[in-house]
Amino acid sequence: MKGFLFIGLAVWAATASAWAGEYNLVIDQTTVDITGRERTAVTINGAVPGPALRWREGEEVTLHVTNRLDEPTSIHWHGVIVPNSMDGVPGISFEHIHPGGTFTYRFTVKQSGTYWYHSHSGLQEQSGMYSPLLIDPAKPEPFRYDREYVVMLSDWTDEHPDRVLAKLKKQSGYYNFHKPTVVDFFRDIGKKGWRETLSDRLAWGRMRMDPTDIADVTGYTYTFLINGQPPEANWTALFKPGERVRLRFINAASMTYFDLRIPGLKMEVVQADGQDTEPVAVDEFRIAVSETYDVIVAPQEDRAYTIFAEAMDRSGYARGTLAPRTGIEAPIPAMRPRPVRTMADMGMAEGAHGMASKSPAQEKETTMPEMDHDGPGDMGAMPGMDHGAMNQEPGHAMPGMAESTEPPTVMHGPDTHGKGNSMVAMMPRSRLAEPGAGLEHTGTRVLAYTDLRAREPGYDRRPPEREIELHLTGNMDRYIWGFNGKKYSESEPIPMRYGERLRVVLVNDTMMEHPLHLHGMWMELENGNGEHNPRKFTINVKPGERLSFLMTADALGAWPFHCHLGYHMAAGMMAHAVVSEHGAEAH
């Protein structure tokens, strides 16, 4: 039974009327003080985050959004299935909201769960324009709790986001202060010997990358927030010992993945991206940018617990407290060692020194021995490429292999994706069962994607009619990102026929994680749970990973598909699917 919703900021309650179907939102510039220095934020109803909206499944909502900025703006309802004209993406689903203008969104809510909403214009989201969005189900939920809180994570910089992007364009490692030094070089020689150490360095040099490249933007400029508050503010949520407390985690950061734990408490994961999952008890989970996870904790002791959200690159943390009363706090855990990329993260077998990911020019000069250029790995050259009838399930792709829930390893084809790409993952593989860099040896139970099992089977159980393969690509020297070597401005729409069933294969040819978000339709992550594969609105793709999802093209119109790292999207990692009655035949 649901009890209370505590969201921590009084302004939210003042600006959003619970259960009302009509809302007024005002986008404006507001002076804020998050780090001890006054800065200008882009706000929704004057706050960072903006007001938490709460809707009910089946409700028709009307939202009047007024733009008081001197530039265009927009609002996108992240993860919410809406008519195409209500999706709020400038240049794709509508023009934008003009300065001084008001745009009215109106649609019927057809789902429930934890979501959020944010600007889809420029880098306004990084400047503070984001808010929680909660939708109550029409039917009782399959789990019980006594009270609930939103825990919205984000990253804030006192720098103007345009200045951050300009720095990345000039020097992609500008915010990385942990590059290997001469001392590290000689230390590695002592451990691995001259030959292997030199081979490693040359391989990384060819890729124009660095094993410490975990995050493009770090705690050097970021302050990490919970519900808009920095660690020293210690946002606090109250409980009574013995209660079951639902925590709705939302990662609204522009660039930061967080590793979430509450020392002393198990967390029971009950929803992912707003969708019910079979409960999984974990000690920790990684939340990619734009994902949401709902967990239930049951503190029994009359003491405080720290909510600790450690940045994936260990350059800082967000922190809050669960406590039976105000004014008390628990110890803050020590930061753990920084993760370091390995050749396996580059889509290579461990120990494959020297053969790792040659530059495109080098790749053209040599051919991998025993590479099968006629295999599936040779099909990633163009967005939306139709691979024909592909009714096979993962594990059936390579004749002679034993059936497995793990997709087979597929060698990368000869296409190196042109100047917009600086490396390829030669042996991309499924990494769904891995917790992620830095979480491999914690000695604790860490959530993996393979743990996510939908409570209800998918509504469309047809096999896929065709397959689309997309490669995630980038060139760190020029700080450009894209699909199949092309920035959004260079890409063609991906055609889909209304009603068709598709498998989309993603191959990450870069050394970075990418949280990929599809608008307007669900992605069913193929994680080995068959009809109970989880539905997601964002799928994190690890470096060197090959994974797939199923989808039904059941929403007419143009829908963005993009990396939700704000600066990656701004640098080109975006595509859009066009669902029409004629699909690929029209193109």
Side-chain angles (χ1 to χ4, degrees):
M1 176 180 292
K2 184 169 56 188
F4 305 94
L5 169 66
F6 296 91
I7 46 184
L9 296 178
V11 65
W12 296 359
T15 53
S17 302
W19 316 123
E22 190 159 352
Y23 302 82
N24 292 294
L25 302 174
V26 177
I27 314 304
D28 206 347
Q29 290 189 327
T30 303
T31 299
V32 299
D33 183 351
I34 291 174
T35 64
R37 292 179 292 183
E38 289 189 344
R39 289 290 186 273
T40 300
V42 179
T43 58
I44 306 172
N45 289 8
V48 178
L53 298 179
R54 186 155 204 162
W55 302 338
R56 188 190 298 273
E57 183 179 2
E59 177 182 354
E60 181 172 323
V61 295
T62 301
L63 303 111
H64 308 288
V65 182
T66 298
N67 180 10
R68 291 182 182 165
L69 305 175
D70 58 5
E71 62 183 19
T73 192
S74 58
I75 283 185
H76 164 61
W77 316 101
H78 186 100
V80 181
I81 303 300
V82 296
N84 187 256
S85 60
M86 299 288 106
D87 194 43
V89 180
I92 295 182
S93 53
F94 82 144
E95 185 180 8
H96 53 238
I97 307 174
H98 294 276
T102 297
F103 184 85
T104 298
Y105 296 83
R106 184 176 291 111
F107 50 87
T108 300
V109 180
K110 298 180 178 178
Q111 62 200 91
S112 62
T114 300
Y115 306 92
W116 56 299
Y117 63 102
H118 59 82
S119 171
H120 221 291
S121 298
L123 295 168
Q124 292 173 354
E125 182 191 320
Q126 172 76 94
S127 295
M129 193 173 160
Y130 52 83
S131 301
L133 171 55
L134 315 178
I135 305 175
D136 290 309
K139 299 178 180 177
E141 292 176 302
F143 45 86
R144 181 185 65 81
Y145 56 96
D146 300 299
R147 65 172 75 198
E148 60 178 319
Y149 295 94
V150 169
V151 184
M152 191 167 217
L153 303 160
S154 61
D155 45 26
W156 169 265
T157 173
D158 280 347
E159 296 185 87
H160 193 287
D162 289 342
R163 182 172 171 79
V164 174
L165 180 59
K167 289 178 177 177
L168 292 172
K169 282 285 189 182
K170 291 178 181 176
Q171 184 182 350
S172 60
Y174 182 89
Y175 294 101
N176 180 4
F177 289 83
H178 299 289
K179 293 179 181 294
T181 64
V182 174
V183 173
D184 296 323
F185 179 70
F186 285 104
R187 182 204 58 200
D188 289 348
I189 289 174
K191 289 182 178 177
K192 299 186 288 189
W194 273 99
R195 183 175 181 178
E196 186 171 336
T197 301
L198 188 59
S199 178
D200 269 355
R201 291 295 192 275
L202 290 173
W204 285 107
R206 281 196 296 271
M207 293 184 287
R208 300 178 177 85
M209 295 172 184
D210 189 280
T212 62
D213 281 337
I214 303 297
D216 292 351
V217 189
T218 68
Y220 173 76
T221 190
Y222 275 153
T223 299
F224 302 110
L225 311 179
I226 287 183
N227 292 338
Q229 298 187 34
E232 55 271 21
N234 191 24
W235 175 84
T236 298
L238 299 180
F239 69 90
K240 294 178 181 176
E243 284 185 328
R244 289 171 59 85
V245 182
R246 178 180 187 173
L247 300 174
R248 297 175 182 259
F249 288 101
I250 304 169
N251 189 350
S254 283
M255 294 293 285
T256 306
Y257 283 54
F258 292 98
D259 294 333
L260 238 304
R261 55 190 159 126
I262 306 175
L265 290 180
K266 283 280 187 184
M267 296 182 286
E268 186 179 69
V269 178
V270 294
Q271 281 189 355
D273 287 2
Q275 303 300 292
D276 290 337
T277 59
E278 295 289 347
V280 183
V282 300
D283 299 298
E284 185 168 6
F285 64 91
R286 173 163 292 170
I287 183 169
V289 170
S290 97
E291 285 185 317
T292 71
Y293 283 100
D294 285 39
V295 309
I296 292 177
V297 296
Q300 302 296 315
E301 300 178 55
D302 183 41
R303 70 173 181 90
Y305 300 85
T306 294
I307 302 172
F308 194 61
E310 201 173 18
M312 182 173 67
D313 71 328
R314 310 298 185 238
S315 64
Y317 60 85
R319 167 247 189 166
T321 295
L322 275 175
R325 53 194 171 275
T326 59
I328 62 174
E329 60 185 45
I332 300 175
M335 297 282 287
R336 294 175 291 193
R338 294 187 305 276
V340 176
R341 299 290 189 204
T342 67
M343 301 309 283
D345 290 319
M346 302 301 101
M348 301 300 303
E350 290 285 9
H353 309 287
M355 64 178 283
S357 306
K358 298 171 183 176
S359 69
Q362 292 169 316
E363 188 61 39
K364 291 177 181 174
E365 296 171 359
T366 58
T367 304
M368 293 291 294
E370 300 177 2
M371 179 181 289
D372 179 5
H373 291 176
D374 296 325
D378 193 26
M379 300 192 292
M382 296 294 292
M385 178 173 286
D386 184 353
H387 295 161
M390 300 292 289
N391 292 337
Q392 297 159 319
E393 293 298 326
H396 294 178
M398 297 185 70
M401 288 189 65
E403 185 171 351
S404 169
T405 57
E406 286 281 321
T409 296
V410 178
M411 290 290 288
H412 196 287
D415 186 354
T416 54
H417 314 301
K419 296 179 180 178
N421 190 45
S422 58
M423 64 164 285
V424 294
M426 296 309 300
M427 298 177 64
R429 59 182 173 81
S430 172
R431 306 186 71 182
L432 296 175
E434 300 177 22
L439 296 178
E440 305 92 336
H441 309 294
T442 61
T444 58
R445 177 72 165 88
V446 184
L447 184 75
Y449 266 176
T450 45
D451 291 323
L452 299 177
R453 178 180 169 85
R455 275 189 178 263
E456 301 293 333
Y459 64 93
D460 189 345
R461 302 175 195 175
R462 294 175 296 160
E465 301 166 38
R466 67 183 177 108
E467 184 173 294
I468 295 170
E469 183 168 310
L470 296 173
H471 286 242
L472 288 55
T473 54
N475 185 316
M476 289 292 281
D477 266 1
R478 300 163 61 194
Y479 203 75
I480 57 176
W481 300 94
F483 292 101
N484 296 342
K486 296 182 184 299
K487 298 183 294 184
Y488 179 59
S489 59
E490 303 165 338
S491 67
E492 298 291 330
I494 302 171
M496 296 180 182
R497 178 175 50 80
Y498 181 69
E500 76 173 324
R501 187 78 165 151
L502 295 156
R503 170 176 289 130
V504 179
V505 176
L506 302 175
V507 179
N508 188 351
D509 279 327
T510 81
M511 65 173 294
M512 311 296 292
E513 284 80 2
H514 297 284
L516 295 181
H517 172 51
L518 175 64
H519 292 223
M521 295 167 281
W522 288 107
M523 300 180 285
E524 300 159 35
L525 177 65
E526 293 195 286
N527 69 346
N529 282 311
E531 294 177 350
H532 290 265
N533 285 335
R535 291 200 305 186
K536 299 274 291 171
F537 55 65
T538 295
I539 292 177
N540 177 47
V541 189
K542 299 182 182 72
E545 184 168 37
R546 180 186 180 94
L547 58 76
S548 62
F549 65 84
L550 300 178
M551 62 172 289
T552 300
D554 56 2
L556 291 168
W559 300 101
F561 180 60
H562 62 87
C563 177
H564 219 283
L565 298 180
Y567 297 102
H568 286 193
M569 185 170 65
M573 190 172 268
M574 179 163 164
H576 73 276
V578 176
V579 181
S580 66
E581 296 288 354
H582 303 291
E585 298 173 5
H587 295 266

